[in-house]
Amino acid sequence: MLWMKSLHIIFVVCWFAGLFYLPRIFVYYASSQHEETKLQLATMARKLYRFVTPFMIIVVIIGFIMIY
């Protein structure tokens, strides 16, 4: 069961790293003047969100398994 806790912690760290970086992208987006830069930042935010969402799902599943 210790490996389950380790995986849970690893995926929580990965998930929160993405969550903490996402608002920074939004700040850059809001302060940007050029449309090309805004488009690139929007694409970055979308890709980052899609990248960290599976980590959230894995964290929740492993959390329920550990509770059970």
Side-chain angles (χ1 to χ4, degrees):
M1 197 58 139
L2 190 58
W3 60 274
M4 189 76 70
K5 289 181 184 179
S6 300
L7 282 177
H8 184 74
I9 291 171
I10 289 168
F11 283 114
V12 165
V13 168
C14 293
W15 176 36
F16 271 78
L19 285 181
F20 287 144
Y21 190 63
L22 197 58
R24 189 75 233 160
I25 293 175
F26 291 150
V27 168
Y28 290 147
Y29 180 86
S31 65
S32 175
Q33 301 295 327
H34 305 308
E35 287 300 318
E36 184 178 317
T37 306
K38 283 189 174 190
L39 181 62
Q40 184 178 7
L41 289 168
T43 303
M44 286 174 57
R46 189 178 320 109
K47 286 182 179 181
L48 180 63
Y49 183 73
R50 288 182 182 170
F51 182 73
V52 298
T53 300
F55 295 151
M56 177 199 62
I57 295 168
I58 292 170
V59 164
V60 170
I61 290 171
I62 291 175
F64 281 135
I65 289 171
M66 288 191 310
I67 289 173
Y68 179 69

